[in-house]
Structures are given as C-alpha cells and as structure tokens.
Amino acid sequence: MSRKSVPSYRLHKASGQARTIVNGKHVYLGKFNSEESRKAYARILAESTQVSSVPAVKAHVSSACLLLVSEIVVKYLEYAEQYYAVDGKPGKEFKAIIDSLIPVNELYGDTYANEFGPLKLKSIIQHLIDRDLCRNEINKRLGKIKRLFKWSVSEELIPSSVNEGLRTVNGLRYGRTAARESEPVKPVLESDIDATLPFVAPQVAAMIQLQLLTGMRPSEVLSMTPSEINREGDVWLFEPDKHKNRWRGHQRVVPLGPKCQLLIQPFLNRDANANLFSPEEAEEWRNEQRAINRNRNTKVYPCELRTREKRKAAALKRKPKRPKGASYVTHSYRRAIEYAIKKANQARLKADPKATPIPNWFPYQLRHTYATKTRKLHGVEAAQLGLGHKRTNIVDTYAEKNLELIVEIAKKYT
C-alpha cells in the first residue's frame, strides 16, 4: 500500500469522534483518541489490501440497519447545525443538543443504533443524575435524545420500533426521583433594584427599568431598534423581529406607555436598524464620568505624576482590552449588573459597616418581579399577556381583545 493511499485518522469537531475517509465515505470510529477508535482504525487498515476496496467497511456504511449510534449522532448533528441556525450561525438550541448527545455517544457510540432500547436510555438518565444535573435539565436533555432517534426513523436510518420503545421512557417527576430539584427563579425586590441603579450606565439603567415596566425578556430589550417601535398614538408598540416563540408563529407585541417612552427617547437618535443600547456609548459615558471626577483644585505632586507614567507604561505592556461591541448580549448585561451591585455594596458598607448588602440578582428576575406585581394588581390574564405567554389554540379575535387590555394597562402604569 502506498503512503498516499493510507486513510488518515482525523477528528470530527462537531461530535468529538474520530473518523477516516475510505473511497470517499466518512467512517466514524468512536471517541477521538480513545483505545476503541484506534483499534477500529487499525482494523480498517488490516482488513484493507487496497484503499480502493474495503468491502467490510463499505457494507457497514451503506446498511442502515448496521449504523452505529455514533454514526446517527453525527448525521443528526449535521442536520441540526443547519436547522437550528440563527443568522447563519449555530444557535443556543444546537449547542444544547450537543450537550445532550455527548453522554449518548460516550456510553453507546459503538452500539448498533437498532439495538438502542429503553434500558440504555434509562442508564443515560442515571448517568445524568450521577453528574448532579437537576431534574428539569435532565428532562430537557431526555427530550433531545428522543428527538435524535425520532429523526433517524424519519430518515429511514433505523427501524421505527426503536423510537416506539424509547417513547415508553417517561421524564423524571417531582418527588419521585433521586435527581435534585433546581432552585426556582424568584423576583428581585424593587428596593434592591433602586439601590443598584445609581451605579450603572444610563443604557443599563434604561434596560433594567424597561424590563421592570414591561416584563420583556433580556434578549428582547437588548435587541430593540428604532425600526421595531411603532410610535403612532399615545402608546407605542414594540414588535421584535426575533423572539423566543417566533418559530411557533406567535406574535410578540410590547406596549410602551409614557414612562417607557421617556426611558428610550434619548436613545432613538441613531440608525433605524441599530440597537438602542450600545456598550460603546456606555463606555464613553464612564470615561466622561472619570474625567469629571478627576477635576480637582489641589496641587499635583511630582510623585503622583511619576506613578501615572508607570501605570501608563505597564498598561502598554499588558494585552489590550477587547473593544466594546455595538450591542449588549445577555452575559455582558448580567456582568454590568453584577459590577453595579458590587459597587453599591461597597458604598453601602462604607457608609454603614453593619448595613445589609444587596443580594446578587440577574436580569431575568426582573421579568418575575413584573409578573408578580402585574398579577397582584390586574390578575393572571394581564400577567400572561404582558409576558407574551400564549397557547397555540388562541383564536385571533381573543388575541386582539387581549392586546387592548394590555394597552390600557400600559397607558396607566408604564
């Protein structure tokens, strides 16, 4: 066998598997760099007298009934990477699918897919329990694993009996499993919000207050652009182009009353498709505040000048900071709040060492605060509408009636 004809041992990054190419066919060998994958690779080389003729491998690849679990995982990931793409890039759902299928591949990647049954699925559930995942997360991953085999049946890669067997495995139920329960997301106290606001940039303060007034998801308030806001009438209507339930055909309309309009008015002076709230502008504001705070009447001594020069020289040697982006993302928004809470607690403890510090809170808790307050004042229906929760069987006339209700609330309270 010539050197050029030897199939190479390669890594398939999406699945973490080793693979080789024989006669133009991708043959997956199992977990990359594992002993099993190395043995499979050696077996392919040993069985091949010529790279152009590898009958055992060719039969294995072409026969759907003999596909390995690892092979259908790879095929499904190739499909899911396109199907769950957001703006041409893999979205959160695709990344969650990868996390869900990793234990499937690790535990049963070398098992024939048509032999994967309920007991094997239950062993994966136990594996997730042993890893200390919470019950809700395990059930989410269980659904994604079942989706893999359902898709494989639809593509005629495995017999339908496999999917029928897996359907008999139910998700974990509260109080009837060893899996731990996740901590519920609780509303944040408005007093804690008010204590944090003075320590954030105007952009972050506006986003916090908008969430508190409207119940928007963090992703919705971060993505606001002038073009998505209908400013006709006393109450403006924000209809995001992208939202969580868009793929279900749901419409999301957020009424913006007088208070909300005052909050976003300073940020409308930009391109129609630009994000209202910019980290770059927030950084400029912070630099201006530092300049104002540096203005002083006392004499600047030579030792202070020398210290400044040393700091500048040290800063030039360090790795430059990543420039601020044009728009916030969920984790940068959350970090801005965490930093503000830290600063607020420092100021609070400096004024009173015995003061109770502000507990850490995150943007999604604002949605819960809105829901609790709205339900108490206006009932369950108003809270449901404000949050954008809908059932798929709600008729159009009922949805219009609901929008009128939430618009009236916006006039008075937001």
mmCIF file of all heavy atoms in Angstrom, residues 320-359:
data_model
loop_
_atom_site.group_PDB
_atom_site.id
_atom_site.type_symbol
_atom_site.label_atom_id
_atom_site.label_comp_id
_atom_site.label_asym_id
_atom_site.label_seq_id
_atom_site.Cartn_x
_atom_site.Cartn_y
_atom_site.Cartn_z
ATOM 1 N N PRO A 320 -3.958 44.330 25.225
ATOM 2 C CA PRO A 320 -5.010 45.348 25.118
ATOM 3 C C PRO A 320 -6.398 44.768 25.379
ATOM 4 O O PRO A 320 -6.671 43.611 25.070
ATOM 5 C CB PRO A 320 -4.888 45.831 23.663
ATOM 6 C CG PRO A 320 -4.203 44.717 22.947
ATOM 7 C CD PRO A 320 -3.279 44.085 23.948
ATOM 8 N N LYS A 321 -7.239 45.594 25.974
ATOM 9 C CA LYS A 321 -8.601 45.162 26.266
ATOM 10 C C LYS A 321 -9.397 44.992 24.980
ATOM 11 O O LYS A 321 -9.178 45.705 24.002
ATOM 12 C CB LYS A 321 -9.297 46.196 27.156
ATOM 13 C CG LYS A 321 -8.725 46.271 28.563
ATOM 14 C CD LYS A 321 -9.345 47.403 29.342
ATOM 15 C CE LYS A 321 -10.810 47.187 29.588
ATOM 16 N NZ LYS A 321 -11.425 48.252 30.395
ATOM 17 N N ARG A 322 -10.303 44.043 24.992
ATOM 18 C CA ARG A 322 -11.171 43.838 23.842
ATOM 19 C C ARG A 322 -12.090 45.047 23.695
ATOM 20 O O ARG A 322 -12.700 45.482 24.668
ATOM 21 C CB ARG A 322 -12.010 42.581 24.040
ATOM 22 C CG ARG A 322 -12.939 42.279 22.874
ATOM 23 C CD ARG A 322 -13.828 41.105 23.166
ATOM 24 N NE ARG A 322 -13.057 39.884 23.354
ATOM 25 C CZ ARG A 322 -13.603 38.718 23.655
ATOM 26 N NH1 ARG A 322 -14.915 38.633 23.823
ATOM 27 N NH2 ARG A 322 -12.843 37.649 23.815
ATOM 28 N N PRO A 323 -12.195 45.614 22.501
ATOM 29 C CA PRO A 323 -13.072 46.780 22.334
ATOM 30 C C PRO A 323 -14.534 46.428 22.585
ATOM 31 O O PRO A 323 -14.962 45.298 22.368
ATOM 32 C CB PRO A 323 -12.852 47.171 20.856
ATOM 33 C CG PRO A 323 -12.340 45.930 20.202
ATOM 34 C CD PRO A 323 -11.543 45.206 21.248
ATOM 35 N N LYS A 324 -15.281 47.406 23.062
ATOM 36 C CA LYS A 324 -16.695 47.191 23.353
ATOM 37 C C LYS A 324 -17.484 46.966 22.062
ATOM 38 O O LYS A 324 -17.182 47.573 21.029
ATOM 39 C CB LYS A 324 -17.271 48.397 24.100
ATOM 40 C CG LYS A 324 -16.587 48.679 25.425
ATOM 41 C CD LYS A 324 -16.788 47.543 26.411
ATOM 42 C CE LYS A 324 -16.105 47.836 27.736
ATOM 43 N NZ LYS A 324 -16.265 46.719 28.699
ATOM 44 N N GLY A 325 -18.484 46.118 22.139
ATOM 45 C CA GLY A 325 -19.294 45.814 20.969
ATOM 46 C C GLY A 325 -20.346 46.873 20.713
ATOM 47 O O GLY A 325 -20.559 47.791 21.513
ATOM 48 N N ALA A 326 -21.021 46.728 19.588
ATOM 49 C CA ALA A 326 -22.069 47.684 19.212
ATOM 50 C C ALA A 326 -23.377 47.395 19.934
ATOM 51 O O ALA A 326 -24.267 48.237 19.963
ATOM 52 C CB ALA A 326 -22.279 47.662 17.705
ATOM 53 N N SER A 327 -23.527 46.211 20.497
ATOM 54 C CA SER A 327 -24.767 45.860 21.185
ATOM 55 C C SER A 327 -24.462 44.961 22.370
ATOM 56 O O SER A 327 -23.472 44.227 22.374
ATOM 57 C CB SER A 327 -25.733 45.151 20.228
ATOM 58 O OG SER A 327 -25.146 43.956 19.753
ATOM 59 N N TYR A 328 -25.326 45.030 23.356
ATOM 60 C CA TYR A 328 -25.192 44.163 24.528
ATOM 61 C C TYR A 328 -25.648 42.750 24.178
ATOM 62 O O TYR A 328 -26.491 42.544 23.300
ATOM 63 C CB TYR A 328 -26.053 44.684 25.681
ATOM 64 C CG TYR A 328 -25.461 45.855 26.435
ATOM 65 C CD1 TYR A 328 -25.793 47.164 26.096
ATOM 66 C CD2 TYR A 328 -24.572 45.644 27.480
ATOM 67 C CE1 TYR A 328 -25.249 48.239 26.797
ATOM 68 C CE2 TYR A 328 -24.037 46.718 28.190
ATOM 69 C CZ TYR A 328 -24.375 48.009 27.834
ATOM 70 O OH TYR A 328 -23.839 49.063 28.519
ATOM 71 N N VAL A 329 -25.078 41.789 24.890
ATOM 72 C CA VAL A 329 -25.571 40.412 24.872
ATOM 73 C C VAL A 329 -25.928 40.058 26.308
ATOM 74 O O VAL A 329 -25.603 40.803 27.240
ATOM 75 C CB VAL A 329 -24.515 39.432 24.296
ATOM 76 C CG1 VAL A 329 -24.318 39.661 22.818
ATOM 77 C CG2 VAL A 329 -23.186 39.561 25.028
ATOM 78 N N THR A 330 -26.599 38.921 26.498
ATOM 79 C CA THR A 330 -27.147 38.613 27.819
ATOM 80 C C THR A 330 -26.076 38.568 28.901
ATOM 81 O O THR A 330 -26.282 39.080 30.000
ATOM 82 C CB THR A 330 -27.907 37.280 27.783
ATOM 83 O OG1 THR A 330 -27.077 36.283 27.178
ATOM 84 C CG2 THR A 330 -29.186 37.410 26.973
ATOM 85 N N HIS A 331 -24.910 37.966 28.590
ATOM 86 C CA HIS A 331 -23.911 37.853 29.658
ATOM 87 C C HIS A 331 -23.236 39.187 29.959
ATOM 88 O O HIS A 331 -22.858 39.447 31.106
ATOM 89 C CB HIS A 331 -22.876 36.771 29.317
ATOM 90 C CG HIS A 331 -22.076 37.012 28.091
ATOM 91 N ND1 HIS A 331 -22.430 36.522 26.865
ATOM 92 C CD2 HIS A 331 -20.913 37.705 27.894
ATOM 93 C CE1 HIS A 331 -21.528 36.872 25.971
ATOM 94 N NE2 HIS A 331 -20.611 37.595 26.558
ATOM 95 N N SER A 332 -23.069 40.074 28.962
ATOM 96 C CA SER A 332 -22.481 41.382 29.248
ATOM 97 C C SER A 332 -23.460 42.255 30.040
ATOM 98 O O SER A 332 -23.051 43.034 30.906
ATOM 99 C CB SER A 332 -22.068 42.083 27.952
ATOM 100 O OG SER A 332 -23.177 42.309 27.105
ATOM 101 N N TYR A 333 -24.741 42.114 29.744
ATOM 102 C CA TYR A 333 -25.781 42.816 30.510
ATOM 103 C C TYR A 333 -25.765 42.346 31.962
ATOM 104 O O TYR A 333 -25.796 43.151 32.911
ATOM 105 C CB TYR A 333 -27.131 42.532 29.845
ATOM 106 C CG TYR A 333 -28.348 43.159 30.476
ATOM 107 C CD1 TYR A 333 -28.281 44.331 31.211
ATOM 108 C CD2 TYR A 333 -29.606 42.562 30.319
ATOM 109 C CE1 TYR A 333 -29.424 44.899 31.777
ATOM 110 C CE2 TYR A 333 -30.749 43.113 30.871
ATOM 111 C CZ TYR A 333 -30.652 44.269 31.601
ATOM 112 O OH TYR A 333 -31.782 44.820 32.159
ATOM 113 N N ARG A 334 -25.660 41.050 32.146
ATOM 114 C CA ARG A 334 -25.634 40.497 33.503
ATOM 115 C C ARG A 334 -24.379 40.946 34.259
ATOM 116 O O ARG A 334 -24.461 41.294 35.439
ATOM 117 C CB ARG A 334 -25.693 38.967 33.436
ATOM 118 C CG ARG A 334 -25.683 38.289 34.791
ATOM 119 C CD ARG A 334 -25.991 36.817 34.660
ATOM 120 N NE ARG A 334 -26.055 36.167 35.970
ATOM 121 C CZ ARG A 334 -26.625 35.001 36.197
ATOM 122 N NH1 ARG A 334 -27.210 34.344 35.197
ATOM 123 N NH2 ARG A 334 -26.641 34.468 37.398
ATOM 124 N N ARG A 335 -23.239 40.958 33.579
ATOM 125 C CA ARG A 335 -21.999 41.383 34.224
ATOM 126 C C ARG A 335 -22.070 42.846 34.652
ATOM 127 O O ARG A 335 -21.540 43.226 35.704
ATOM 128 C CB ARG A 335 -20.806 41.175 33.287
ATOM 129 C CG ARG A 335 -20.339 39.745 33.175
ATOM 130 C CD ARG A 335 -18.888 39.689 32.688
ATOM 131 N NE ARG A 335 -18.714 40.455 31.468
ATOM 132 C CZ ARG A 335 -18.819 39.975 30.251
ATOM 133 N NH1 ARG A 335 -19.140 38.693 30.073
ATOM 134 N NH2 ARG A 335 -18.636 40.729 29.199
ATOM 135 N N ALA A 336 -22.708 43.684 33.839
ATOM 136 C CA ALA A 336 -22.846 45.098 34.187
ATOM 137 C C ALA A 336 -23.641 45.259 35.483
ATOM 138 O O ALA A 336 -23.307 46.098 36.331
ATOM 139 C CB ALA A 336 -23.530 45.850 33.048
ATOM 140 N N ILE A 337 -24.673 44.437 35.649
ATOM 141 C CA ILE A 337 -25.472 44.492 36.880
ATOM 142 C C ILE A 337 -24.662 43.971 38.063
ATOM 143 O O ILE A 337 -24.698 44.546 39.165
ATOM 144 C CB ILE A 337 -26.776 43.694 36.703
ATOM 145 C CG1 ILE A 337 -27.681 44.388 35.677
ATOM 146 C CG2 ILE A 337 -27.507 43.531 38.027
ATOM 147 C CD1 ILE A 337 -28.948 43.642 35.348
ATOM 148 N N GLU A 338 -23.932 42.881 37.862
ATOM 149 C CA GLU A 338 -23.107 42.333 38.952
ATOM 150 C C GLU A 338 -22.081 43.352 39.428
ATOM 151 O O GLU A 338 -21.842 43.498 40.633
ATOM 152 C CB GLU A 338 -22.402 41.062 38.465
ATOM 153 C CG GLU A 338 -23.337 39.876 38.281
ATOM 154 C CD GLU A 338 -22.625 38.673 37.687
ATOM 155 O OE1 GLU A 338 -21.442 38.832 37.274
ATOM 156 O OE2 GLU A 338 -23.232 37.589 37.620
ATOM 157 N N TYR A 339 -21.460 44.056 38.473
ATOM 158 C CA TYR A 339 -20.461 45.073 38.833
ATOM 159 C C TYR A 339 -21.116 46.209 39.614
ATOM 160 O O TYR A 339 -20.553 46.713 40.597
ATOM 161 C CB TYR A 339 -19.813 45.603 37.559
ATOM 162 C CG TYR A 339 -18.739 46.645 37.799
ATOM 163 C CD1 TYR A 339 -17.472 46.284 38.229
ATOM 164 C CD2 TYR A 339 -19.001 48.005 37.595
ATOM 165 C CE1 TYR A 339 -16.486 47.235 38.447
ATOM 166 C CE2 TYR A 339 -18.030 48.964 37.814
ATOM 167 C CZ TYR A 339 -16.769 48.572 38.246
ATOM 168 O OH TYR A 339 -15.804 49.524 38.467
ATOM 169 N N ALA A 340 -22.309 46.614 39.184
ATOM 170 C CA ALA A 340 -23.016 47.701 39.873
ATOM 171 C C ALA A 340 -23.397 47.291 41.297
ATOM 172 O O ALA A 340 -23.310 48.101 42.239
ATOM 173 C CB ALA A 340 -24.259 48.087 39.085
ATOM 174 N N ILE A 341 -23.838 46.039 41.478
ATOM 175 C CA ILE A 341 -24.183 45.551 42.817
ATOM 176 C C ILE A 341 -22.957 45.582 43.726
ATOM 177 O O ILE A 341 -23.029 45.969 44.897
ATOM 178 C CB ILE A 341 -24.767 44.123 42.739
ATOM 179 C CG1 ILE A 341 -26.122 44.151 42.022
ATOM 180 C CG2 ILE A 341 -24.930 43.513 44.134
ATOM 181 C CD1 ILE A 341 -26.676 42.774 41.712
ATOM 182 N N LYS A 342 -21.809 45.184 43.172
ATOM 183 C CA LYS A 342 -20.561 45.205 43.941
ATOM 184 C C LYS A 342 -20.225 46.631 44.381
ATOM 185 O O LYS A 342 -19.872 46.864 45.555
ATOM 186 C CB LYS A 342 -19.436 44.629 43.080
ATOM 187 C CG LYS A 342 -18.084 44.599 43.764
ATOM 188 C CD LYS A 342 -17.025 44.025 42.826
ATOM 189 C CE LYS A 342 -15.650 44.057 43.479
ATOM 190 N NZ LYS A 342 -14.603 43.518 42.555
ATOM 191 N N LYS A 343 -20.338 47.588 43.458
ATOM 192 C CA LYS A 343 -20.050 48.983 43.789
ATOM 193 C C LYS A 343 -21.060 49.534 44.799
ATOM 194 O O LYS A 343 -20.702 50.281 45.716
ATOM 195 C CB LYS A 343 -20.069 49.826 42.505
ATOM 196 C CG LYS A 343 -18.884 49.587 41.585
ATOM 197 C CD LYS A 343 -17.596 50.017 42.244
ATOM 198 C CE LYS A 343 -16.414 49.855 41.341
ATOM 199 N NZ LYS A 343 -15.132 50.237 42.000
ATOM 200 N N ALA A 344 -22.321 49.174 44.633
ATOM 201 C CA ALA A 344 -23.357 49.646 45.559
ATOM 202 C C ALA A 344 -23.103 49.116 46.970
ATOM 203 O O ALA A 344 -23.282 49.841 47.962
ATOM 204 C CB ALA A 344 -24.726 49.213 45.058
ATOM 205 N N ASN A 345 -22.693 47.858 47.062
ATOM 206 C CA ASN A 345 -22.408 47.275 48.382
ATOM 207 C C ASN A 345 -21.187 47.915 49.036
ATOM 208 O O ASN A 345 -21.159 48.115 50.254
ATOM 209 C CB ASN A 345 -22.206 45.766 48.250
ATOM 210 C CG ASN A 345 -23.527 45.030 48.128
ATOM 211 O OD1 ASN A 345 -24.548 45.472 48.656
ATOM 212 N ND2 ASN A 345 -23.518 43.900 47.442
ATOM 213 N N GLN A 346 -20.179 48.243 48.227
ATOM 214 C CA GLN A 346 -19.005 48.928 48.776
ATOM 215 C C GLN A 346 -19.388 50.281 49.359
ATOM 216 O O GLN A 346 -18.949 50.641 50.464
ATOM 217 C CB GLN A 346 -17.944 49.096 47.684
ATOM 218 C CG GLN A 346 -17.270 47.802 47.272
ATOM 219 C CD GLN A 346 -16.327 47.991 46.098
ATOM 220 O OE1 GLN A 346 -16.270 49.070 45.478
ATOM 221 N NE2 GLN A 346 -15.571 46.956 45.762
ATOM 222 N N ALA A 347 -20.217 51.027 48.629
ATOM 223 C CA ALA A 347 -20.661 52.335 49.114
ATOM 224 C C ALA A 347 -21.539 52.187 50.346
ATOM 225 O O ALA A 347 -21.433 52.973 51.311
ATOM 226 C CB ALA A 347 -21.414 53.061 48.005
ATOM 227 N N ARG A 348 -22.400 51.169 50.350
ATOM 228 C CA ARG A 348 -23.301 50.953 51.481
ATOM 229 C C ARG A 348 -22.529 50.588 52.747
ATOM 230 O O ARG A 348 -22.796 51.120 53.835
ATOM 231 C CB ARG A 348 -24.309 49.859 51.130
ATOM 232 C CG ARG A 348 -25.244 49.486 52.260
ATOM 233 C CD ARG A 348 -26.278 48.464 51.824
ATOM 234 N NE ARG A 348 -27.311 49.063 50.992
ATOM 235 C CZ ARG A 348 -28.471 48.463 50.688
ATOM 236 N NH1 ARG A 348 -28.714 47.244 51.140
ATOM 237 N NH2 ARG A 348 -29.357 49.069 49.941
ATOM 238 N N LEU A 349 -21.566 49.685 52.626
ATOM 239 C CA LEU A 349 -20.797 49.249 53.802
ATOM 240 C C LEU A 349 -19.839 50.346 54.282
ATOM 241 O O LEU A 349 -19.511 50.403 55.474
ATOM 242 C CB LEU A 349 -20.021 47.981 53.459
ATOM 243 C CG LEU A 349 -20.876 46.748 53.180
ATOM 244 C CD1 LEU A 349 -20.019 45.580 52.726
ATOM 245 C CD2 LEU A 349 -21.683 46.356 54.420
ATOM 246 N N LYS A 350 -19.398 51.189 53.360
ATOM 247 C CA LYS A 350 -18.545 52.313 53.764
ATOM 248 C C LYS A 350 -19.329 53.304 54.609
ATOM 249 O O LYS A 350 -18.814 53.864 55.587
ATOM 250 C CB LYS A 350 -17.978 52.992 52.522
ATOM 251 C CG LYS A 350 -16.976 54.096 52.827
ATOM 252 C CD LYS A 350 -16.396 54.680 51.548
ATOM 253 C CE LYS A 350 -15.382 55.764 51.853
ATOM 254 N NZ LYS A 350 -14.811 56.353 50.595
ATOM 255 N N ALA A 351 -20.590 53.518 54.211
ATOM 256 C CA ALA A 351 -21.440 54.440 54.971
ATOM 257 C C ALA A 351 -21.887 53.821 56.293
ATOM 258 O O ALA A 351 -22.002 54.522 57.308
ATOM 259 C CB ALA A 351 -22.658 54.843 54.137
ATOM 260 N N ASP A 352 -22.137 52.525 56.290
ATOM 261 C CA ASP A 352 -22.609 51.838 57.494
ATOM 262 C C ASP A 352 -22.086 50.401 57.477
ATOM 263 O O ASP A 352 -22.629 49.552 56.756
ATOM 264 C CB ASP A 352 -24.139 51.849 57.546
ATOM 265 C CG ASP A 352 -24.678 51.169 58.793
ATOM 266 O OD1 ASP A 352 -23.868 50.800 59.668
ATOM 267 O OD2 ASP A 352 -25.914 50.997 58.894
ATOM 268 N N PRO A 353 -21.014 50.107 58.230
ATOM 269 C CA PRO A 353 -20.429 48.756 58.220
ATOM 270 C C PRO A 353 -21.410 47.652 58.607
ATOM 271 O O PRO A 353 -21.183 46.483 58.283
ATOM 272 C CB PRO A 353 -19.293 48.858 59.238
ATOM 273 C CG PRO A 353 -18.961 50.315 59.296
ATOM 274 C CD PRO A 353 -20.267 51.028 59.082
ATOM 275 N N LYS A 354 -22.477 47.990 59.290
ATOM 276 C CA LYS A 354 -23.458 46.994 59.729
ATOM 277 C C LYS A 354 -24.632 46.839 58.749
ATOM 278 O O LYS A 354 -25.556 46.062 58.996
ATOM 279 C CB LYS A 354 -24.000 47.368 61.107
ATOM 280 C CG LYS A 354 -22.944 47.339 62.203
ATOM 281 C CD LYS A 354 -23.557 47.672 63.556
ATOM 282 C CE LYS A 354 -22.506 47.636 64.650
ATOM 283 N NZ LYS A 354 -23.094 47.947 65.981
ATOM 284 N N ALA A 355 -24.580 47.580 57.649
ATOM 285 C CA ALA A 355 -25.688 47.549 56.688
ATOM 286 C C ALA A 355 -25.764 46.180 56.005
ATOM 287 O O ALA A 355 -24.761 45.500 55.806
ATOM 288 C CB ALA A 355 -25.515 48.638 55.639
ATOM 289 N N THR A 356 -26.988 45.783 55.634
ATOM 290 C CA THR A 356 -27.203 44.513 54.922
ATOM 291 C C THR A 356 -26.846 44.703 53.454
ATOM 292 O O THR A 356 -27.382 45.591 52.788
ATOM 293 C CB THR A 356 -28.671 44.079 55.037
ATOM 294 O OG1 THR A 356 -29.021 43.975 56.418
ATOM 295 C CG2 THR A 356 -28.884 42.736 54.356
ATOM 296 N N PRO A 357 -25.950 43.893 52.911
ATOM 297 C CA PRO A 357 -25.573 44.060 51.500
ATOM 298 C C PRO A 357 -26.701 43.674 50.557
ATOM 299 O O PRO A 357 -27.589 42.886 50.900
ATOM 300 C CB PRO A 357 -24.379 43.118 51.339
ATOM 301 C CG PRO A 357 -24.550 42.098 52.414
ATOM 302 C CD PRO A 357 -25.214 42.799 53.569
ATOM 303 N N ILE A 358 -26.672 44.242 49.360
ATOM 304 C CA ILE A 358 -27.651 43.896 48.327
ATOM 305 C C ILE A 358 -27.328 42.500 47.800
ATOM 306 O O ILE A 358 -26.192 42.241 47.404
ATOM 307 C CB ILE A 358 -27.591 44.902 47.166
ATOM 308 C CG1 ILE A 358 -27.826 46.323 47.668
ATOM 309 C CG2 ILE A 358 -28.596 44.542 46.069
ATOM 310 C CD1 ILE A 358 -27.490 47.393 46.642
ATOM 311 N N PRO A 359 -28.282 41.584 47.800
ATOM 312 C CA PRO A 359 -28.002 40.247 47.251
ATOM 313 C C PRO A 359 -27.825 40.308 45.732
ATOM 314 O O PRO A 359 -28.380 41.187 45.070
ATOM 315 C CB PRO A 359 -29.240 39.436 47.631
ATOM 316 C CG PRO A 359 -30.322 40.446 47.783
ATOM 317 C CD PRO A 359 -29.667 41.701 48.297
#
